[in-house]
Amino acid sequence: MQCCAELTPPTAVTHSLSFPFLSPTARNLIVAKTSLIQVYSLKSVLTETGSTRLFRRDLDDSTTKLVLVAEYPLFGTVTALGSVKTLSSKSGGDCLLVAFKDAKLSLVEWDPERYGLFTVSIHYYERDDLQGSPWAVDSSQSYNYLTVDPSSRCAALKFGTRNLAILPFRQAGDDLVMDDYDPDLDEEPPEPTSTTKLTNGNISSSQTPYSSSFVLPLSILDPSLIYPVHLSFLHEYREPTFGILSSSAAPSLSLLHERRDVLTYSVFTLDLEQRASTTLLSISGLPYDLYRLIPLPLPVGGALLLGGNEIIHVDQSGKTNGVAVNAFAKQSSSFGMADQADLEMKLEGCTIEQLDAENCEMLMVLNTGDLAILSFKLDGRSVSGVSVRRVAEEHGGLAILAGASCASPLGSGRMFVGSEDTDSVVLGWTRKSAQLTRRRSELQAEFDEDISDEDDEDYDDLYASTAQDNPKDSEAGLSVGKSQTGDYVFRIHDALINLAPMRDLVFACPKAPPATKEKSGPSEPISDVELVTAYGRSRGGGVAIMNRELSPRVEKRLELPKAQGVWSFHVQSLAQRLQPSQTAKQDTSSGSVPAHGAEQFDNYVIISHGLADGGEESLIYILTTSGFEELKDTEFDPAAGGTVDVGTLARGTRVVQVLASEIRSYDSNLGIAQIYPMFEDYEGVPPNIVSASFADPYLLLLLSDSTINLLEVDDRGDIDEVEREGDLLVKKWVSGSLYTDHKGVFVSENEGREKRKSTLVFLIDTAGALKVGQTPRSNAPGLLDFKGNADGSSKIYDLSRLGTAVYTAETLTFLPPTLSAEYTVRRSTARENVAELLVAELGDAVSKAPYLILRSANDGITIYEPFHYPQNVTNPGLLSSLRFNKIPSSTIAKTPEYATQDVTDDKQEPRKSPLRAMSNVGGYSTVFLPNESSSFLIKSASSKPRILSLRGKGVRGMSSLHTAMCRRGWIYVDVEGIVRCSKLPDSINITETGWVMRRILLGEEVHALSYHLAMESYVIATSEKVDWKLPEDEEHHEEWRYEDPPLKPKVHQSSIKILNPLTWTVVDSYGLEPTELVLCMKTLDLEVSEHTHARKELIAVGTALIRGEDLPSRGMIYVFDVIYVVPEPSQPETNRKLKLIAKEEVKGAVTALSTIGTQGFLLAAQGQKCMVRGLKEDGSLLPVAFMDMMCYVSVAKELKGTGMCVMGDALKGVWFAGYSQDPYKMTLFGKSTSNLEVTTAEFLPDGKHLYIVVMDTDCNMHIFQFDPEHPKSLSGHRLLHRSTYHTGHFPTTSTLLPSSSPAPQQPAPNAMSLDFIAPASSPSPASQLLFTTQTGSLHLLTPLSEPLYRRLSALQTQLTNTLEHACGLNPKAYRAVETDGMGGRGVIDGKLLARWFELGSWRRREVAGRVGIEGEEGVRNDLRAVSGEMGLGYL
């Protein structure tokens, strides 16, 4: 009984597509990451060079950035993407066709009404009657691919071995739309117009955009299509026409002398009405290694055939032109091709996409990441030649660090290049010429002159010369392998971070810099453990350090045990405010940017802290390099009382201090400018000010009697109250927020979004209803009020006429997925107890937008994103089209039971601090949630809003801080009264995965990773590609000396390196032999003396010598120690070095290493044996016991200290064995009955039960149990197969971890003693299993108790039936795997459980009631146990 949760999403991009999706005129990028679909829009950011902005038409001065619109986790594995133009769509844009594994198609479109994906249809082709003969390969084991007709008339899905599913789409004027049209009886049908298309067409709403699909065996098209290789629809044909690469005999490299040119390229046209085909073209005798067909639009046309050694173009008439890119093309094929063998390219895994249609060129991304240009020479409309040239390194030829998985043109000289091995990038290019370079200085000198469109065209004609315009440049273009003067120059505009593939994983103690240690106290918020993983391939390899919580970089600290709140601010005098504008006017004529005002540091810090008598006082400080200095010779009065809030108004010239009963205004010298009493004429006990919200020139105050006051600052800086009427005087309020809408996000386009900025007032009344207000066009303040009634409805009012409602919105307190005026729910009392509201911007410098943020009484956060529907509203009413879309978030707020807050000496209950919006923290506009669940709400342009916890105690107060010492940071006080000036650590990413992440790019492929605790150093095994040479040892043959291949194969040569955790640089390296590759590396506690039995932490390395398939394999076992040495001058980090302790050559590759038993022995999987070895003092490894294995041992692990080990075979399944010391022997306890292709395995103890978790190459997770008392286990000789769970991601490593206790009084396990097992009475599971994947995601497997399993299983069933799943997929079918096991209980899908937060409050209560859980808090506690919130507390 386990639950598998996804901790971080996949990061490897597998597919991408660019087309108008959100609207007919939009330019969107759709990215698929295995089981995640993301929708991006494009944004151009102007780039300034020096002090002068360059001309966009002449130079590439803009940078294209990706802005995430939405993302959707899928319960399926994406295999292909396609775009389809349908007659009608909700947005007017194209539809997205998604192909999944096991022959499944989903047609989706963008729904602007719900601001999300809408599934139009789903098509299944996985029925048994479509699989062919009983001995045919299963569809899941075959290579399936999708292709769409360029005119969107149909789509074809090749699945199984030889099946082709055709899905026709209805188009205007075709037979599918006009199948009921009779020309003798009906009138002439009207011609469709562009206006009809933009308004979703004129077809009946009941008519689907597609017609009935059908399946054609390829043998019906042509009996020779026995072994299809690839197919794709072609451009410029009147009927749907596709080309296909196939062979009548299976291509075989071993039979190359008989099957050299066996492939055939055929072109078929489809008759969708008759479901028939006609052969148009057939070309035989093509090279055997062709593997992909790429259709080309005009002016080139035809198809491009891509092979491992050559590229061949075939036009519509069957004329061929080819080019050989290496010497093997001529040796392996007799097909006529141009010779460019000196390029020495390998095209396996190559990605090609159109670069410039006018110049007939395409961009090639090789599997190494190198860039090349494919050019076509046109003779009229016919292609007369094909050539390839590499892009020089100085022109960006090595900008991409590893191979690409997909490429999508974005227009305007931009292209998205996705990769599974390195970061996916937006690649831009310019075509530079010598003439353009000479004219740059002239362009910059004329920057201040106005240039019209006609002048721009003149500049284009004058400077945009290409190689074809100059005969010398044309000759240079024919040179092979070199970039000429007029060639392309590439640069990266934007990147999507990728952690895939994760090769290895270790847990380590973070190493803080010495400077940080000096500033830090004994209780600084520093993580005890950090997760370090090796990622990437080729030049994109590196290591990534990951943590669940943010550990800030503390610059200064001050201990004030009674501190309750802290505020920092910058104030300037009136003369200082006017000076930048005058300076700007003076500097504009020179074209330079004024430097004055660039850095406006915070002047002062106000700290409010309690007194012994229960009162509060406020002290003001200035920050210096030595620390905090209190100011006393000012008019600031500490005895005025505790501070509620502090802000600046009057354009930053007035500091406004909000006290409990009055408002104080100070000038730039902290002189009192005004004291505004709030309750001067109040009868009875006056209320106190509870919270405040600033938006220059307004100040919103919430009082303790649930009333509000709205104040305004005039041009002289004087504060006065805005006259209140109607509901503002009568109604009671819970929370309020001011927001200045600079971009008009809350006003639709026809309502003046672009005309002016407006100040909005957001309020929540005591009934839990949202109120939105806005200042009118005039200077008189106004309010639009979502008035809350007893039934939960909300109405909008204008302050100038509060008696008339102008907008009504229902069901705000139910937290619906989409909040609109028309949304209603049935009568229910299940409303969320919303305690606070805030409207603030989230984002970075590229893209930021306002969000409506709600905080519940239990610190739960709900985030709403505003949008407008419909866009083309004609109603002149204000905010008539405004809607809110809820952002999914699975973060669970901490409760006092699980929060790490210590109880202070104060007897009074600490006050709740409000949400705090900060405009710039490390470049992010963010919101901070204080109190027990201290967290940042943060996002970047390419991520959704995420909730990131701040490490340490609960936070009482926080404010942004910008000083010379702490730039773009924050200052906060925790529950212990420690005030810290902090900022984000350098070079971290906190938005992409939801974890704090820092990546160290090493430029080499990292195969293994280990951590030496005693020396606090990382040891990595890297490799580089070198030319393979024939062996010259005893295996050398005399005839080999005459072999000299022109293109030598590349092999890995490994090296062992020490990585310093302070500088993250390599300080020592130990090189291995050529062709020697590290397969495994572990830090083991081994016995180093036979006499004293002393043990020491050493690094064990297992390698394989790759010498070819005709020679027996050999391996080496290395044992290293990390020792201190004298460092290099001025390089103190080089004080560590590798010392070789032992080196043993063995037969067979060493594929797995582990400790075994209690004596400090080594378990090594070498060849077809698993052998126990002991380290002798002379440096040899003495074998003491062994066990024969089957084929290839992929994993060997021990349950620490028990002698029990699990060994997985790459073909034959998993074995469970034990090691005994007296006598030395290994005993087989049990093994699996099925032949599994094991990639990794691990123990999972659960009380008295012992489980073995096995991952295989089909992305399945198998749960085995060792139970010798079960009758079906045959006394334990058979491992009981309890359940199988499809993860959807290829696993790479698995690690057994202890589960941290949620109780604050129980300490977390030691940082590095990961063999910690909690007592059986612990409320949390004793251990958990963390595994990594090739797609860059982290997963957590948690054992469950019987009651918890039943509750979560029932919750999973309810969510499966209640939630709407993207692309119409079935979560249960996605996870289910057909096996021959015992049919035990299945694994709970934690990814599905996390979507419980997407439901509205009434739905949550309803689902919880059906499950049998009382209240939402019970569900949160259950989800907290399986999401890593409790179990991974030490991260």
Side-chain angles (χ1 to χ4, degrees), residues 816-872:
T818 302
L819 177 64
S820 65
E822 298 82 11
Y823 193 89
T824 59
V825 297
R826 63 187 182 185
R827 184 180 299 273
S828 175
T829 59
R831 300 180 182 179
E832 187 74 12
N833 185 11
V834 179
E836 188 178 358
L837 170 146
L838 178 67
V839 177
E841 288 186 343
L842 298 178
D844 54 12
V846 175
S847 174
K848 60 181 65 176
Y851 290 85
L852 174 64
I853 303 168
L854 305 176
R855 181 180 66 85
S856 304
N858 59 359
D859 279 349
I861 295 295
T862 304
I863 306 175
Y864 278 96
E865 178 184 11
F867 70 99
H868 289 269
Y869 178 81
Q871 291 287 350
N872 53 347

Side-chain angles (χ1 to χ4, degrees), residues 460-746:
D460 289 341
D461 297 337
L462 183 60
Y463 302 132
S465 62
T466 61
Q468 285 77 5
D469 300 330
N470 194 326
K472 296 182 180 180
D473 292 342
S474 300
E475 293 180 5
L478 296 178
S479 63
V480 177
K482 297 181 180 180
S483 297
Q484 56 269 19
T485 303
D487 212 342
Y488 298 92
V489 177
F490 295 89
R491 70 180 179 96
I492 293 178
H493 289 235
D494 199 4
L496 299 181
I497 289 180
N498 182 21
L499 291 177
M502 291 184 173
R503 295 294 192 89
D504 204 352
L505 177 143
V506 295
F507 288 85
C509 293
K511 182 71 173 177
T516 304
K517 285 186 176 181
E518 295 176 0
K519 301 174 185 177
S520 302
S523 59
E524 287 305 305
I526 299 177
S527 173
D528 296 328
V529 182
E530 60 186 11
L531 185 153
V532 184
T533 179
Y535 72 92
R537 287 195 176 99
S538 188
R539 292 179 287 112
V543 296
I545 303 95
M546 304 178 67
N547 282 100
R548 290 179 57 253
E549 296 181 339
L550 174 63
S551 298
R553 179 177 174 180
V554 179
E555 299 293 341
K556 294 291 181 181
R557 68 194 308 270
L558 175 66
E559 294 187 8
L560 294 174
K562 302 293 184 179
Q564 298 295 329
V566 59
W567 298 265
S568 66
F569 54 89
H570 168 79
V571 61
Q572 58 183 352
S573 64
L574 183 61
Q576 290 175 337
R577 184 176 64 84
L578 297 176
Q579 186 174 357
S581 60
Q582 298 174 358
T583 307
K585 293 180 180 179
Q586 298 174 1
D587 294 342
T588 302
S589 58
S590 61
S592 62
V593 179
H596 185 276
E599 291 284 355
Q600 294 183 347
F601 294 128
D602 292 342
N603 307 91
Y604 309 102
V605 173
I606 295 178
I607 301 178
S608 177
H609 59 88
L611 300 175
D613 58 357
E616 291 187 19
E617 67 174 358
S618 300
L619 301 178
I620 189 165
Y621 299 83
I622 60 172
L623 284 175
T624 64
T625 55
S626 59
F628 294 82
E629 293 185 7
E630 183 179 353
L631 290 181
K632 295 183 178 180
D633 297 333
T634 64
E635 296 183 7
F636 186 86
D637 186 9
T643 301
V644 177
D645 207 343
V646 177
T648 57
L649 294 177
R651 299 182 181 180
T653 60
R654 289 290 186 268
V655 179
V656 179
Q657 180 190 18
V658 181
L659 303 175
S661 59
E662 64 183 16
I663 308 297
R664 295 196 171 201
S665 175
Y666 299 90
D667 57 18
S668 59
N669 297 320
L670 295 184
I672 293 181
Q674 182 183 4
I675 299 179
Y676 186 87
M678 292 296 301
F679 314 108
E680 190 174 9
D681 300 329
Y682 196 88
E683 297 181 0
V685 180
N688 295 327
I689 299 176
V690 177
S691 64
S693 179
F694 292 85
D696 199 4
Y698 297 102
L699 172 61
L700 179 68
L701 302 176
L702 177 65
L703 309 183
S704 58
D705 61 353
S706 300
T707 60
I708 65 168
N709 274 24
L710 186 63
L711 308 181
E712 182 183 7
V713 177
D714 57 19
D715 294 336
R716 296 174 300 176
D718 296 334
I719 301 175
D720 197 4
E721 183 177 358
V722 176
E723 184 177 353
R724 295 175 295 164
E725 298 179 4
D727 283 353
L728 292 182
L729 294 173
V730 177
K731 295 191 65 64
K732 302 296 182 180
W733 311 95
V734 175
S735 180
S737 175
L738 292 176
Y739 173 73
T740 302
D741 190 7
H742 295 277
K743 302 178 181 178
V745 176
F746 292 95

